[in-house]
Amino acid sequence: MIIEHPLLGPRDAAEFTYLGDARLIDRPDWQSETAAHDFFEYGYLRDNPAGWHQELWFHEAGDRSWLVITRNTVTHEISKVELARDVARSRGRSK
Amino acid sequence: MTQKNRIATGGQIDRSTTHSFTFDGKSYQGHPGDTLASALLANGVRLMGRSFKYHRPRGPLTAGSEEPNALVELRDGARQEPNTRATTTELYDGLFAKSQNRLGSLKFDLLSINDRLSNFLTAGFYYKTFMWPAAFWEKLYEPIIRHAAGLGSLSLKDDPDVYDKGFLHCDLLIIGGGPAGLAAALTAGRAGCDVILADEDFRMGGRLNSETFSLGDDSGADWAAGIIAELETLPNVRVMSRTTVIGAFDHGIYGAVERVSDHVHTPDAGKPRQILWRIYTKRTVLAAGATERPIAFENNDRPGIMLASALRTYANRFSVTADKRVAIFTNNDDGHRTAADLHAKGIKIAAVVDVRPDAPKTYDYEVLEGQVVDTRGRLGLSFVELKLANGSTRMLECGALGVSGGWNPNVNLTCHQRGRPVWNEAIAAFVPGEHLPAGMTVAGAAAGDMSTAGALRSGAQAAKLAIDLTGDIPDLPQAEDAPVNVKPFWYVEGCSRAWLDQQNDVTVKDVKLSHQEGFRSVEHLKRYTTLGMATDQGKTSNMGGLAIMAELAGKTIPEVGTTIFRPPYTPTAIGVFGGRHRGQDFHPKRLTPSHLWAEEQGAVFVEVGNWLRAQWFPRAGETTWRESVDREVLATRGSVGVCDVTTLGKVDVQGTDAAEFLNKIYCNGFAKLDVGKTRYGLMLREDGIAKDDGTAARLAEDHFVVTTTTANALPVYRHMEFVRQCLFPDMDVQLISTTEAWAQYAVAGPNSRKVLEKIVDQDISNEAFPFMACANITVCGGLRARLFRISFSGELAYEIAVPTAYGDALIRKIMEAGAEYDITPYGTEALGVMRIEKGHAAGNELNGTTTAQNLGMGRMVSKKKDSIGSILSEREGLNRDDDLRQIGIKPVDPAASVPAGAHLMSLTGPVDAAHDQGYVTSACYSPNLGHSIALGFLKNGSERMGERMRLVSPLTKVETEVEIVSAHFIDPEGGRLRA
């Protein structure tokens, strides 16, 4: 596969390591009433779609960016590549 | 003349040069341009192998890479290569080959008895015949079957040749150098595109080399040679012959194997045998051509029976006829071409047998309407038995029979991204479907465009489309444009021992049997009968099997569908996938800055990650590793020792939020750590299980140095970047791995301070530099360095770091300074013994199943702050009172050893999994205590000090009575650390 890195252009997938569902960005609030339940879902429950999937890849043999890649799990087509940091900010994460 | 079947003139062989070669010990001659198969046929050798299961005599069926039968062991010694297709093996002087899968000689194979036993060896015979008794399977049945069935043998020697990997980029990849591929390459090449043209053959041109058609005023072969010559002058075109594109992968990436040295006796100095290319292309034109398919009839596998197109290739390209008297069996017009071409070369055509009533009759040989119903000839064809349309039967004498059942487009690569081919009624074959790999266009016979003119046209058009050419395509020569005229005909009524898959010995009878037994899906048929599962992947057999299956099920062929084509397109040597990554070069080797020094000390090294670390330093007179390790431990605890700890992961953490960041990644708190102090940190996974441990040293308000274990240096850094970028994107914190930037040494033992005082420029007295202190310092009068007063051994100890370039100099300086105290270098074994004596957890204890609670560090998990893993570490199931706790273990009999991995059971209860109470994680001999000790986990262990238990290792049949003790065997109060 070829990944269009937002900063570095097209890079071979061999330079990256895969983590999984980009929902891992949405780490729950530790002080919430339902924290135990929320963390359980966060840690263990994932969708496993046959189709479009947002997922986290790490450019380990490159610039060490975490990326959010929108990939079709059936065809391996990649429609979007974003810096995970930008995605995290857009989802309201800060400090 | 020894080449008795060589036709007097013509062909693309160089008759001015003669190559000698050996097959099964006998010497023959051929010419440059020959394949091993064509040269053997020229010498009158039709018998080239024995079949897989029944050991039936076999000759080549084809003249190309789809060959199922003519597999040989090529070359000898370490270069011997089994299952090499004689039909693609380029002849060279001195070539050495042997037939395979035989017991005795090829002509008198003792295992041909299997042919007589064929009733017991039908589809599924493995499952049916060798069921009972079960114990016989491994000892008796399987070895016998393994011996009898199979293909070539391995030399079992190291391959002396080199295989390479390479990367290529282009605008347009053209797969196949036949008429379609050449027209595409000409179009794109002249337009200035970056083009790669790859063809598996050693001679470009595809079928143009095998036919007698003219293209304009030239023969097909001459036209092809002219185009190749032009393409080779274009700087933007790379022409790659002997290069098979084996797979179509994601995003326009193709795998290709170039056989650089397979056509020479020994690879030239510095040249690899083969290269695995990874080709990145924007667009692809697949012009892979088509493969003729046979018709199944009784005993259709005798040497001399070939595809009609193969007979034509041997005659036109190699100037060879398989026999002087040839018959043809066909269901389409193309079969007649073979008869016409051979006839023109003066070869006797015994008859052309066509299943169609309206077969063309152009020449003065017999054309009969009918079918071939059986054949004769022990080691090669001598007669065919015909059943004619008028009901009569007839024996026809011939030494070769050309069979043509129509042509299958080579759609394989169109299916590698899960595309499915579709049925085309007009040519009675599958053609590429709609869903092609991204960027691919199919042209020529591969797309079902079977005439030469059609191939030229569609090749040029495909290239024009692929590169968005606005101008005209090049002028293409006049060429034959005959329509496909075929009547689907798969097998002769009533036949049973009629071979579909000749390599795996699958017959019509097997397919019928599998249908009878309820295997309805084409994927099941394949696995039950092994149809199409041989090294040729069913290129000549799958269609026949499908057609028969469809008929039996009362379905159409498209309803039955095909099996999935997967890479590689043709068999590929494992060596080329490995490339240069073998032996020592399998993975990178990392050496610490003082590796040379350690070698000088005679160190024995061990691989940790990719690092080579000194394991122990044997001295003269020491005969076992234990002697060395015991000495190193005693010397360190008695005076001073030094150990290279460079390989531990180091991460530099800087920024105004650095402390807050460490609070997130460690379960214990770091915000209040004073500058100039170091703290042990335990890192959890989000699920509450311990991930890694290490230390964090605060060198400044906004600057920490974090250490990780050697093995986890990479994953921990990755995790820290995840937390920084994905979870807390606005924290002001920067990370960089500095593992390779600093050489680091542990100096441990009561005299360690005295040694370091001679090197460090600053005051490091206990008052100025107490336990857990850290600082930027200088050594040897000004060299920048870092000093940490931390201890893994439990002794007064320091870790000192200098920039990598000075590592070697520093270790030599430390040894010099320590000489008066008998400073002793110690390796990872002594390091391990001392940390077990001290009760420090390491990788064996942080094993991916243990929590902070288990490790006895439950109270470290701060509940006042958010950290990774803190919430899920509070789960009820991870916090039971009777949960495992880290404990120490010592044997009641001081002479007994404690096996690692053994389990703890009560003294009197049963010994089984249900009564398991804990287990040993780390064990060693303690030279300080004079007996074995161990660390382990025991249910409710912290409350059970002094209890006697049985330590049981059923695997090694060891049972030892032990006492549960504190994990801190040495200096439990920690006085030495603070001395």
Side-chain angles (χ1 to χ4, degrees):
Chain A
M1 292 203 298
I2 296 170
I3 292 169
E4 285 282 342
H5 192 298
L7 306 177
L8 302 174
R11 311 297 312 174
D12 194 286
E15 295 175 0
F16 295 79
T17 6
Y18 179 80
L19 179 63
D21 196 332
R23 282 179 49 192
L24 285 168
I25 290 173
D26 306 319
R27 188 169 179 269
D29 175 7
W30 70 290
Q31 286 172 312
S32 154
E33 290 280 299
T34 56
H37 177 78
D38 298 344
F39 270 90
F40 167 76
E41 294 218 328
Y42 171 73
Y44 290 101
L45 299 184
R46 305 267 197 288
D47 289 336
N48 183 23
W52 291 104
H53 188 226
Q54 284 204 313
E55 50 199 23
L56 285 160
W57 292 69
F58 182 52
H59 199 198
E60 188 146 81
D63 75 340
R64 295 168 278 131
S65 288
W66 276 98
L67 303 179
V68 172
I69 293 180
T70 308
R71 182 180 67 106
N72 189 314
T73 58
V74 176
T75 63
H76 292 187
E77 191 189 336
I78 291 174
S79 65
K80 203 173 186 186
V81 183
E82 302 157 276
L83 289 175
R85 169 173 254 166
D86 294 343
V87 174
R89 281 181 178 137
S90 75
R91 293 187 188 176
R93 300 206 68 88
S94 178
K95 283 194 175 188
Chain B
M1 173 167 170
T2 53
Q3 298 178 42
K4 64 173 190 169
N5 282 335
R6 186 74 77 182
I7 299 164
T9 56
Q12 295 136 44
I13 50 167
D14 174 11
R15 289 172 204 258
S16 65
T17 306
T18 299
H19 285 336
S20 292
F21 68 101
T22 310
F23 178 66
D24 275 351
K26 213 173 153 205
S27 186
Y28 301 97
Q29 294 188 328
H31 299 295
D34 263 326
T35 61
L36 175 57
S38 73
L40 283 171
L41 287 173
N43 286 277
V45 179
R46 287 180 301 180
L47 176 61
M48 297 185 196
R50 287 275 173 173
S51 74
F52 179 70
K53 201 156 81 170
Y54 302 126
H55 291 256
R56 307 251 307 179
R58 293 282 169 79
L61 176 70
T62 76
S65 64
E66 68 273 32
E67 177 59 30
N69 281 340
L71 305 185
V72 299
E73 283 171 12
L74 184 65
R75 303 185 287 270
D76 58 348
R79 290 194 165 89
Q80 176 183 316
E81 192 177 337
N83 311 333
T84 307
R85 288 151 294 164
T87 52
T88 57
T89 300
E90 206 171 332
L91 193 72
Y92 53 84
D93 197 42
L95 182 146
F96 176 96
K98 281 188 303 192
S99 59
Q100 55 187 36
N101 196 30
R102 57 182 164 79
L103 188 65
S105 77
L106 188 56
K107 284 186 180 170
F108 302 100
D109 179 357
L110 298 174
L111 286 169
S112 57
I113 183 76
N114 284 9
D115 197 26
R116 304 290 165 88
L117 298 175
S118 63
N119 276 342
F120 302 102
L121 297 175
T122 51
F125 76 101
Y126 267 88
Y127 317 114
K128 294 168 183 165
T129 317
F130 303 102
M131 290 294 287
W132 183 90
F136 277 29
W137 176 251
E138 216 171 290
K139 297 230 158 57
L140 185 68
Y141 298 144
E142 199 186 359
I144 292 175
I145 296 169
R146 282 269 161 248
H147 186 70
L151 296 169
S153 56
L154 297 167
S155 71
L156 300 179
K157 294 180 182 134
D158 275 353
D159 189 335
D161 297 327
V162 167
Y163 297 80
D164 253 326
K165 291 183 188 175
F167 297 80
L168 293 171
H169 299 257
C170 61
D171 296 326
L172 182 64
L173 169 66
I174 300 166
I175 303 166
L182 290 178
L186 200 63
T187 306
R190 283 188 186 166
C193 266
D194 278 334
V195 175
I196 292 174
L197 171 64
D199 192 283
E200 61 178 353
D201 208 326
F202 56 89
R203 188 182 170 95
M204 288 264 178
R207 282 304 298 177
L208 293 178
N209 293 322
S210 296
E211 305 290 359
T212 49
F213 320 132
S214 56
L215 270 72
D217 299 330
D218 294 322
S219 75
D222 287 347
W223 183 82
I227 299 298
I228 293 297
E230 178 184 338
L231 292 173
E232 278 174 340
T233 64
L234 299 177
N236 53 316
V237 178
R238 184 175 179 131
V239 178
M240 302 177 75
S241 59
R242 302 187 180 99
T243 303
T244 307
V245 176
I246 56 170
F249 302 98
D250 294 309
H251 305 169
I253 302 173
Y254 288 79
V257 174
E258 182 179 7
R259 292 173 299 281
V260 179
S261 305
D262 281 354
H263 62 293
V264 294
H265 188 273
T266 311
D268 292 342
K271 285 225 174 161
R273 175 165 292 285
Q274 298 181 352
I275 300 173
L276 180 65
W277 293 106
R278 185 188 284 222
I279 302 175
Y280 298 78
T281 183
K282 290 181 187 141
R283 300 294 302 262
T284 304
V285 171
L286 178 70
T291 301
E292 199 171 22
R293 61 201 183 206
I295 296 170
F297 49 89
E298 201 73 6
N299 291 308
N300 62 337
D301 64 330
R302 296 193 197 281
I305 302 176
M306 296 186 204
L307 292 172
S309 62
L311 281 179
R312 203 153 81 229
T313 298
Y314 286 120
N316 293 332
R317 174 173 170 183
F318 300 107
S319 209
V320 168
T321 180
D323 197 77
K324 304 281 189 240
R325 219 180 134 80
V326 178
I328 302 293
F329 180 29
T330 184
N331 67 343
N332 67 90
D333 287 358
D334 196 66
H336 293 261
R337 280 184 180 154
T338 301
D341 283 5
L342 265 55
H343 177 72
K345 290 185 187 296
I347 294 152
K348 171 76 182 166
I349 302 300
V352 177
V353 184
D354 197 317
V355 299
R356 303 171 300 172
D358 54 347
K361 295 184 176 66
T362 321
Y363 298 91
D364 56 359
Y365 45 75
E366 259 190 308
V367 177
L368 305 167
E369 186 193 348
Q371 300 172 8
V372 174
V373 293
D374 204 349
T375 68
R376 304 274 192 283
R378 199 175 68 83
L379 294 174
L381 183 69
S382 53
F383 287 93
V384 296
E385 189 182 332
L386 308 181
K387 188 174 178 205
L388 300 177
N390 62 20
S392 65
T393 58
R394 187 170 146 189
M395 293 296 278
L396 199 63
E397 186 178 2
C398 57
L401 173 68
V403 184
S404 179
W407 291 76
N408 291 328
N410 291 330
V411 299
N412 304 54
L413 287 165
T414 68
C415 302
H416 285 182
Q417 300 292 306
R418 292 194 73 87
R420 291 295 185 122
V422 295
W423 184 252
N424 180 325
E425 201 66 49
I427 61 169
F430 281 103
V431 295
E434 244 179 281
H435 300 287
L436 300 173
M440 181 188 277
T441 317
V442 192
D449 225 335
M450 294 299 190
S451 76
T452 311
L456 291 170
R457 226 170 18 235
S458 73
Q461 287 298 342
K464 179 178 156 103
L465 189 76
I467 63 171
D468 277 332
L469 182 68
T470 44
D472 292 333
I473 58 170
D475 285 336
L476 297 168
Q478 285 291 317
E480 67 80 29
D481 205 3
V484 174
N485 207 337
V486 60
K487 176 189 174 189
F489 187 83
W490 308 103
Y491 70 107
V492 169
E493 193 70 35
C495 68
S496 79
R497 299 204 78 203
W499 269 260
L500 293 165
D501 184 331
Q502 299 207 19
Q503 191 172 132
N504 264 358
D505 268 339
V506 181
T507 64
V508 172
K509 184 182 166 185
D510 293 319
V511 174
K512 287 180 174 172
L513 188 68
S514 101
H515 176 79
Q516 227 171 41
E517 294 181 0
F519 294 92
R520 294 293 188 270
S521 141
V522 54
E523 297 287 353
H524 289 162
L525 166 80
K526 172 176 168 176
R527 274 133 193 109
Y528 191 58
T529 61
T530 72
L531 176 84
M533 287 174 70
T535 61
D536 62 341
Q537 289 287 288
K539 288 191 179 64
T540 56
S541 63
N542 279 347
M543 261 317 298
L546 286 181
I548 295 168
M549 198 177 163
E551 189 184 297
L552 293 170
K555 289 181 178 172
T556 62
I557 290 171
E559 278 172 337
V560 169
T562 63
T563 54
I564 294 174
F565 296 95
R566 294 189 179 88
Y569 177 64
T570 50
T572 306
I574 294 289
V576 77
F577 289 115
R580 290 178 187 260
H581 300 274
R582 61 187 217 191
Q584 284 275 306
D585 299 326
F586 183 66
H587 57 65
K589 190 163 60 183
R590 301 172 83 185
L591 305 180
T592 68
S594 50
H595 184 82
L596 193 66
W597 167 83
E599 269 183 348
E600 287 167 16
Q601 311 305 308
V604 172
F605 292 95
V606 61
E607 278 189 52
V608 184
N610 292 332
W611 292 101
L612 287 186
R613 295 190 72 181
Q615 200 172 7
W616 64 85
F617 295 84
R619 281 197 184 157
E622 289 173 346
T623 53
T624 67
W625 65 272
R626 261 278 308 282
E627 276 181 71
S628 311
V629 173
D630 288 354
R631 171 184 49 75
E632 289 169 18
V633 170
L634 291 171
T636 302
R637 294 217 190 278
S639 176
V640 60
V642 60
C643 182
D644 185 351
V645 293
T646 300
T647 62
L648 271 83
K650 310 177 199 80
V651 185
D652 216 64
V653 182
Q654 297 195 36
T656 52
D657 290 323
E660 190 47 39
F661 178 75
L662 294 193
N663 260 350
K664 299 291 187 194
I665 61 163
Y666 286 119
C667 68
N668 49 323
F670 278 84
K672 293 186 187 127
L673 182 65
D674 291 333
V675 172
K677 283 289 186 184
T678 309
R679 183 172 287 171
Y680 174 81
L682 180 65
M683 205 176 273
L684 303 182
R685 308 191 311 217
E686 193 68 271
D687 64 359
I689 302 290
K691 182 184 183 75
D692 198 56
D693 68 351
T695 58
R698 192 166 202 171
L699 292 173
E701 199 59 39
D702 58 354
H703 185 193
F704 289 81
V705 173
V706 163
T707 65
T708 75
T709 57
T710 299
N712 279 332
L714 214 66
V716 165
Y717 178 76
R718 187 188 304 152
H719 170 70
M720 289 169 71
E721 284 289 5
F722 169 77
V723 174
R724 185 178 79 94
Q725 296 177 37
C726 300
L727 301 184
F728 304 103
D730 289 335
M731 272 195 182
D732 175 28
V733 59
Q734 303 296 328
L735 311 175
I736 190 162
S737 166
T738 58
T739 304
E740 288 92 345
W742 296 87
Q744 193 154 323
Y745 302 93
V747 183
N751 288 322
S752 56
R753 184 182 297 126
K754 290 179 194 149
V755 174
L756 285 181
E757 275 172 344
K758 294 162 79 173
I759 296 172
V760 176
D761 301 335
Q762 287 76 13
D763 177 10
I764 56 166
S765 64
N766 199 31
E767 296 68 40
F769 202 75
F771 181 53
M772 295 309 266
C774 67
N776 284 312
I777 54 158
T778 57
V779 294
C780 305
L783 174 66
R784 72 192 175 103
R786 288 170 176 175
L787 189 65
F788 312 89
R789 190 166 160 194
I790 52 180
S791 175
F792 199 40
S793 59
E795 296 299 322
L796 166 66
Y798 301 80
E799 289 190 15
I800 183 166
V802 289
T804 298
Y806 298 95
D808 181 79
L810 180 67
I811 188 70
R812 291 176 199 276
K813 195 78 192 167
I814 292 171
M815 290 303 290
E816 191 188 307
E820 64 175 296
Y821 305 103
D822 264 341
I823 190 165
T824 302
Y826 64 94
T828 55
E829 289 295 332
L831 182 86
V833 168
M834 287 191 277
R835 73 100 187 159
I836 296 171
E837 288 179 335
K838 182 64 186 170
H840 277 154
N844 293 7
E845 286 73 37
L846 277 71
N847 58 17
T849 69
T850 49
T851 63
Q853 285 268 14
N854 297 147
L855 292 160
M857 297 190 263
R859 267 176 287 170
M860 270 176 70
V861 185
S862 167
K863 296 191 186 338
K864 293 191 202 110
K865 60 155 185 151
D866 178 24
S867 71
I868 303 293
S870 67
I871 296 290
L872 290 185
S873 74
E874 290 169 27
R875 281 181 290 171
E876 201 183 326
L878 297 182
N879 291 281
R880 296 195 317 268
D881 286 342
D882 67 342
D883 213 351
L884 295 172
R885 292 287 184 277
Q886 191 177 322
I887 41 102
I889 298 165
K890 69 174 195 184
V892 172
D893 171 6
S897 71
V898 180
H903 281 246
L904 289 158
M905 307 279 173
S906 74
L907 277 181
T908 51
V911 174
D912 56 31
H915 294 82
D916 183 18
Q917 301 199 44
Y919 59 95
V920 173
T921 49
S922 304
C924 71
Y925 175 79
S926 165
N928 290 291
L929 300 173
H931 58 77
S932 288
I933 57 169
L935 300 179
F937 292 105
L938 176 64
K939 283 181 180 172
N940 198 19
S942 37
E943 305 299 316
R944 297 170 71 173
M945 293 302 141
E947 193 174 322
R948 297 261 175 118
M949 299 196 75
R950 265 187 303 170
L951 192 62
V952 183
S953 170
L955 272 181
T956 51
K957 299 199 168 37
V958 171
E959 200 177 305
T960 312
E961 190 175 338
V962 296
E963 185 184 334
I964 306 306
V965 294
S966 156
H968 309 293
F969 292 93
I970 295 262
D971 188 28
E973 292 79 29
R976 297 185 193 183
L977 300 170
R978 296 177 177 80

